[in-house]
Amino acid sequence: MKLKQLVVAGLLLSSASLAHADTQSDFVVEDIKIEGLQRVALGAALTYLPVQVGDQMNSFRIAQLIRSLYGSTHFESIEILRDGNVLVVKVKERPTISNIIFEGNDDIKDEQLQESLEGSNIRVGEPLDKTVLTSIENGLKDFFYSIGKYNADVSAIITPLPRNRVELKLLFEEGESAEIRQINIVGNEVFSDAELLQLMELQFDTPWWDFLSETRYQKQTLTGDMETLRSHYMDRGYLRYDVESTQVSMTPEKDGIYVTLNVNEGEQYTISGVEVIGDLLGFEEYINSVMPLREGELYNQAEVTYTEEFIAKYFGRFGYAYPTVTTIPEINDEDKTVKLTLSVDPGKRIYVRRINFEGNSVTADEVLRQNVSQMEGAWLSEGLLESSKNSLSRLTYMEEVDFETVRLPGEEDKVDVNFSVKEQPSGSFNAGIGYGDRTKLSLQAGIQQDNFLGTGKRLAFNVSTVSYQRSVRLSYTDPFFTIDGISLGGSLSYSEFDAGSANLIRYNSKSYTVGVNAGYPINEFNRINFGLSFSDVELSRQNSYEQTDRFYNQFIDEDNPDAPIDYQTWLASVTWSRSTLNRGIFPTAGSSQSASFSVTTPNSDVNYFKMIWDSKFYFPLTRDQRWSVLARFRAGYGNGYGDINGNEQILPFTQNFTAGGSDTLRGFENNTVGPRGIQRIPQSITGPDGDRIFLGPESDQLRISRQSLGGNAMALGGVELIVPTPFVEEEMDNSVRTSLFLDVGNVWDTEFEYSDFRDLEVISTENALADYSDYSRYRASAGLSVQWLSPMGPMVFSFSRAIQDRVGDDVKFFSFNIGQTF
């Protein structure tokens, strides 16, 4: 800045002397000419002149004119001349920046550099003020010094171009960072050097394999480490702890740093008393009952801070959004005690004047307001605002949600609440082609929107065909059918399913279903949904199995046993769901649980019920929640009830649970985990007369299918460590997720009687007989999963290894599913 002032002062003096030489005496201006203009319009240049025709010119007016022209930032040099009574102003415009290039910068991103330059008004298309380049160079050098790069250099190179343009290049020579050679802590007696150094982020002399340690010297990191040490002592009663001095020395080659901290630990202090004063609004008893600070305990700075924040948040629940909570310590150095007085000033109760939304280019404000529990005109509640933020974040068409409160000028008790949202695609009209390791080639077309026309209503119409299924489905849901949040929806679908191509026992089915559903919100987190659907199912049997024949035999036509069977059902369902997840897509904190019960009505052709429990818990490990643990569990059970026409009802095998694949047990082929189909083959001999004589059931042989039949019970669980995706920016966390997982689970048949088959000979070479009623025959796998919500559609890649499998299981190392829209 000083250099800039000197340059300007020199130019002013030189210009002033020229003016004096050419204008020896005062004169009245009869005309004004400006010479040298190229990009600046004449009209614009005249507006910068504090002189008009008819004005008296003198040395003061000349100096004033020069200052005004330089202040416009358009001119590099100015010369004032007199031609008779004509004032002549000769200017040389500053060159215009045509291009800005950064070269050699690794520690500073181009975006950060560009933002820094724009702060100094250096951008493409603007005049170049060369006087600020030196300060920019020095500022960048200071940054490199702060991260330990003491040999760094920054040079600004200006290359002239035609038409008074220039190219600005910032050339960086960052050099190597200075490594910390040693950190010495002097004066500590209570805690050893090893204990204190373990707390610090800066490290030295680390083993080669500890690549996460920070051995580069960084001034800001050292400041943070000093604060960490202070907190460590203050949280353990050392109220007088202090860092008396800090020495940072450098090797002559500027490649090594030695850090010395001189500390004074002091003595431990205990709390002699705690008093809360001020206007507590009648909450004295509650605040004192939950107060973590107690007389006789060691002083703990963390608990003091927590207490202040707790009281402030508690008052915030009742509209006192800006309370002041101050802890006043009275230290007695003689007996090493401290009395704590917490002074509370709740301030005024704050009311919300207006709630505003920005960033929602698609979603209507009305839809967002439906998910906001804070009301206009009511007092401001931090709890309700956080609750509203979470509700908005759980919408699948919201990527980011934040809010701020803005105090109104002249209004001490009123604020506006501004919600800023970032939307993400919630579906689209599409036609597509995809390929998956389970679905093989797939085609699809339709429209699917969770936020149809910005109304928040969900609409889906899809037609798809994959290797094992062709289907068409239309569904519609209005999540706010009433102002109270009652939802109403319906669906209509038709499907043709080839089970053999889906790794299941061979059968074909055709079905159509029509249903309605309604939901009722219990509170912010809990909801109950009711549904009723009608289905018509046609089944074609291709193979006969012991477990399926019992179901087929209820409907078989004895005159045409190979004909397809047909049955109809009315299915009623109720589902309770709870969600405290922080996001609808790729959550990192909170939990979700759901329990559903569905049962066919007695007038249906088959009577059965199913129960499913599903839960997920996310535990963030870091403050930014980029590291998180997911624990999940899913269980289900189904069976028949009663009897129809003398037939005891069982769960239709088409309703069996299956497992294996990317959404259940990775590392196993889709739908292959669970009971296999059993074919019982009677044996016979040829009698003396040549007739076949069938032997008894004890001589039957078994053939076990390679394909799974599924089961009426399941239990699936897993743990995932969600980690930052390598080489992907943090801003992409909402669309890319990487996790290390452990999957465990099993599917079994509680109705299977192993004793009926265990003594029979198995002739199948495809599989072996097992006790399919044994729930303990679990499978397990571990691996790496990457999920990407790409513009082309969702992509899931899994690398897994089975660590517990069973005979006949189809294990796999890699699985993927890719969809593409165009």
Side-chain angles (χ1 to χ4, degrees):
M1 193 52 144
K2 291 183 178 180
L3 178 60
K4 177 178 176 180
Q5 293 172 344
L6 292 173
V7 172
V8 172
L11 291 172
L12 289 173
L13 289 173
S14 62
S15 300
S17 62
L18 287 172
H20 180 72
D22 291 309
T23 56
Q24 294 292 331
S25 59
D26 298 348
F27 69 98
V28 177
V29 178
E30 296 179 357
D31 193 12
I32 300 175
K33 293 183 179 181
I34 302 179
E35 300 178 356
L37 295 177
Q38 295 183 10
R39 298 182 181 275
V40 181
L42 177 61
L46 290 173
T47 61
Y48 301 131
L49 296 179
V51 177
Q52 298 179 356
V53 174
D55 288 349
Q56 182 80 22
M57 286 300 298
N58 52 40
S59 58
F60 172 77
R61 299 297 292 273
I62 291 173
Q64 188 181 35
L65 184 152
I66 292 173
R67 283 194 298 269
S68 178
L69 287 176
Y70 274 119
S72 71
T73 72
H74 289 292
F75 306 110
E76 191 173 79
S77 63
I78 302 169
E79 186 177 3
I80 309 299
L81 302 173
R82 174 182 176 182
D83 185 5
N85 288 335
V86 176
L87 177 65
V88 180
V89 180
K90 288 187 176 183
V91 297
K92 180 181 179 182
E93 292 183 358
R94 286 176 175 170
T96 301
I97 301 174
S98 176
N99 191 23
I100 300 176
I101 299 174
F102 307 112
E103 187 175 305
N105 55 302
D106 292 327
D107 277 312
I108 309 180
K109 298 179 181 178
D110 288 0
E111 295 79 7
Q112 293 174 298
L113 290 170
Q114 191 63 53
E115 183 178 349
S116 176
L117 292 179
E118 289 182 355
S120 300
N121 203 33
I122 294 182
R123 58 174 66 90
V124 173
E126 295 291 333
L128 174 62
D129 184 358
K130 299 178 182 178
T131 60
V132 304
L133 290 180
T134 300
S135 62
I136 291 175
E137 291 174 343
N138 292 334
L140 292 173
K141 288 179 183 179
D142 290 341
F143 167 79
F144 285 116
Y145 294 164
S146 70
I147 61 174
K149 292 192 173 184
Y150 294 97
N151 291 312
D153 189 31
V154 182
S155 302
I157 302 174
I158 301 174
T159 304
L161 299 174
R163 302 193 306 278
N164 198 31
R165 297 176 301 129
V166 295
E167 178 183 84
L168 175 61
K169 177 188 288 187
L170 286 177
L171 184 61
F172 296 84
E173 295 181 9
E174 295 185 352
E176 296 294 330
S177 297
E179 298 285 332
I180 299 177
R181 300 286 178 83
Q182 192 170 351
I183 300 176
N184 299 309
I185 301 178
V186 180
N188 56 304
E189 296 180 358
V190 178
F191 300 103
S192 66
D193 289 358
E195 290 177 287
L196 298 179
L197 291 174
Q198 188 67 30
L199 299 173
M200 300 177 65
E201 184 177 346
L202 290 179
Q203 299 290 322
F204 68 96
D205 194 25
T206 59
W208 65 269
W209 46 264
D210 190 3
F211 54 88
L212 294 178
S213 296
E214 182 59 76
T215 59
R216 297 190 311 171
Y217 173 74
Q218 298 189 46
K219 184 177 180 181
Q220 292 181 342
T221 305
L222 177 60
T223 302
D225 285 340
M226 292 169 62
E227 188 60 34
T228 299
L229 294 181
R230 175 178 296 277
S231 299
H232 182 75
Y233 275 94
M234 297 284 281
D235 294 347
R236 288 158 179 78
Y238 294 92
L239 186 58
R240 293 295 193 185
Y241 168 84
D242 187 32
V243 179
E244 296 180 336
S245 64
T246 305
Q247 293 89 37
V248 179
S249 57
M250 187 187 313
T251 61
E253 297 78 13
K254 298 183 179 181
D255 61 353
I257 296 291
Y258 292 86
V259 178
T260 301
L261 303 178
N262 294 283
V263 302
N264 180 12
E265 294 177 321
E267 301 285 340
Q268 280 185 310
Y269 284 72
T270 56
I271 299 175
S272 60
V274 181
E275 182 180 5
V276 183
I277 62 174
D279 185 2
L280 302 182
L281 305 175
F283 300 130
E284 296 91 338
E285 183 177 351
Y286 176 77
I287 291 176
N288 287 322
S289 66
V290 299
M291 178 81 67
L293 302 173
R294 291 287 183 268
E295 181 180 349
E297 294 183 352
L298 286 175
Y299 175 84
N300 188 316
Q301 181 63 44
E303 287 191 353
V304 172
T305 303
Y306 168 79
T307 303
E308 293 175 346
E309 293 176 350
F310 171 79
I311 295 175
K313 288 183 177 180
Y314 186 75
F315 278 93
R317 294 172 55 185
F318 303 97
Y320 298 90
Y322 303 105
T324 302
V325 183
T326 306
T327 301
I328 305 169
E330 298 180 29
I331 303 175
N332 188 330
D333 289 320
E334 293 183 1
D335 58 4
K336 301 299 182 291
T337 60
V338 55
K339 180 183 178 182
L340 301 177
T341 302
L342 282 80
S343 175
V344 180
D345 179 9
K348 290 183 175 292
R349 174 170 276 179
I350 306 300
Y351 294 84
V352 177
R353 184 190 69 166
R354 185 177 295 118
I355 297 176
N356 305 307
F357 299 93
E358 61 179 19
N360 52 315
S361 59
V362 175
T363 310
D365 280 11
E366 177 186 357
V367 177
L368 300 180
R369 290 184 189 279
Q370 291 171 340
N371 292 276
V372 173
S373 48
Q374 171 70 63
M375 304 299 291
E376 294 178 342
W379 68 56
L380 178 68
S381 170
E382 284 293 327
L384 291 178
L385 288 180
E386 287 294 338
S387 171
S388 302
K389 176 183 176 181
N390 292 335
S391 296
L392 290 170
S393 298
R394 284 192 288 268
L395 297 175
T396 57
Y397 43 88
M398 288 296 156
E399 182 175 343
E400 294 179 6
V401 179
D402 209 344
F403 70 86
E404 65 173 347
T405 56
V406 180
R407 306 193 75 163
L408 302 179
E411 301 281 355
E412 295 184 359
D413 61 346
K414 291 183 181 179
V415 298
D416 282 349
V417 179
N418 297 330
F419 280 91
S420 59
V421 301
K422 181 180 179 182
E423 297 171 311
Q424 65 183 5
S426 57
S428 62
F429 184 80
N430 66 78
I433 183 172
Y435 186 85
D437 58 354
R438 176 183 60 159
T439 61
K440 307 305 179 186
L441 183 66
S442 63
L443 302 173
Q444 61 179 358
I447 183 171
Q448 181 172 341
Q449 269 283 358
D450 286 345
N451 186 23
F452 182 60
L453 299 179
T455 63
K457 299 177 175 63
R458 294 190 286 272
L459 173 69
F461 176 72
N462 283 292
V463 179
S464 66
T465 174
V466 296
S467 61
Y468 58 84
Q469 187 175 34
R470 289 183 295 175
S471 65
V472 57
R473 177 179 172 84
L474 172 66
S475 65
Y476 174 82
T477 302
D478 183 352
F480 282 91
F481 181 70
T482 70
I483 193 172
D484 297 323
I486 295 178
S487 64
L488 184 66
S491 63
L492 177 65
S493 64
Y494 174 78
S495 173
E496 296 180 2
F497 182 64
D498 178 5
S501 298
N503 300 322
L504 298 170
I505 59 171
R506 297 182 63 192
Y507 68 87
N508 291 336
S509 71
K510 295 180 181 179
S511 64
Y512 69 84
T513 302
V514 58
V516 295
N517 61 80
Y520 177 77
I522 301 174
N523 53 35
E524 176 190 354
F525 304 112
N526 295 271
R527 188 177 189 87
I528 291 183
N529 287 277
F530 302 92
L532 179 65
S533 63
F534 170 79
S535 297
D536 187 287
V537 181
E538 178 186 284
L539 282 180
S540 298
R541 176 168 52 179
Q542 295 186 12
N543 289 104
S544 177
Y545 299 97
E546 288 293 303
Q547 300 100 314
T548 62
D549 286 349
R550 181 179 170 188
F551 179 77
Y552 275 114
N553 290 339
Q554 300 180 74
F555 307 97
I556 196 168
D557 184 355
E558 294 183 359
D559 295 331
N560 188 9
D562 295 327
I565 66 172
D566 186 271
Y567 61 92
Q568 299 175 342
T569 60
W570 290 89
L571 185 69
S573 64
V574 58
T575 301
W576 164 79
S577 60
R578 177 182 183 273
S579 176
T580 60
L581 300 176
N582 62 336
R583 283 201 297 264
I585 301 294
F586 289 163
T588 56
S591 67
S592 67
Q593 298 84 34
S594 68
S596 66
F597 177 79
S598 57
V599 60
T600 58
T601 59
N603 62 320
S604 300
D605 291 339
V606 294
N607 288 341
Y608 68 89
F609 66 89
K610 291 181 74 173
M611 300 179 293
I612 299 176
W613 169 265
D614 198 354
S615 62
K616 295 180 179 179
F617 296 87
Y618 290 86
F619 304 96
L621 301 179
T622 57
R623 183 169 297 179
D624 61 7
Q625 298 186 0
R626 299 194 72 197
W627 293 75
S628 187
V629 171
L630 163 62
R632 49 188 172 77
F633 178 71
R634 179 179 174 87
Y637 175 75
N639 216 327
Y641 72 91
D643 64 83
I644 297 178
N645 298 327
N647 296 306
E648 184 181 357
Q649 295 296 286
I650 61 173
L651 181 70
F653 63 90
T654 57
Q655 295 294 324
N656 278 350
F657 299 107
T658 60
S662 59
D663 56 349
T664 53
L665 279 172
R666 288 160 287 195
F668 295 85
E669 184 62 73
N670 296 279
N671 300 329
T672 60
V673 172
R676 270 33 180 194
I678 298 177
Q679 293 177 313
R680 190 163 184 157
I681 305 172
Q683 300 299 301
S684 64
I685 60 174
T686 303
D689 56 359
D691 293 337
R692 294 181 63 192
I693 301 175
F694 286 92
L695 303 178
E698 68 278 0
S699 300
D700 289 351
Q701 293 182 334
L702 302 181
R703 179 179 289 115
I704 312 299
S705 72
R706 183 172 180 82
Q707 289 74 29
S708 174
L709 172 70
N712 71 332
M714 72 164 179
L716 303 169
V719 178
E720 294 191 40
L721 174 62
I722 300 168
V723 301
T725 304
F727 314 113
V728 173
E729 299 294 335
E730 184 175 353
E731 294 77 13
M732 294 290 291
D733 283 352
N734 289 347
S735 52
V736 180
R737 167 159 290 184
T738 300
S739 62
L740 303 172
F741 65 84
L742 171 66
D743 291 347
V744 181
N746 189 26
V747 173
W748 66 98
D749 183 359
T750 62
E751 298 296 307
F752 181 76
E753 295 292 343
Y754 181 56
S755 59
D756 293 345
F757 306 99
R758 63 184 176 187
D759 297 327
L760 301 181
E761 179 186 0
V762 177
I763 62 173
S764 170
T765 58
E766 294 181 335
N767 218 322
L769 178 66
D771 185 359
Y772 300 131
S773 65
D774 184 2
Y775 62 86
S776 65
R777 298 182 72 251
Y778 71 92
R779 279 78 163 175
S781 64
L784 169 71
S785 175
V786 179
Q787 304 172 61
W788 179 26
L789 299 178
S790 75
M792 297 184 297
M795 299 186 178
V796 181
F797 304 88
S798 295
F799 303 86
S800 52
R801 179 181 180 86
I803 56 180
Q804 175 64 64
D805 58 340
R806 304 292 174 177
V807 176
D809 285 346
D810 190 357
V811 299
K812 61 193 307 184
F813 172 71
F814 174 69
S815 64
F816 70 97
N817 198 77
I818 303 175
Q820 182 177 358
T821 60
F822 55 87

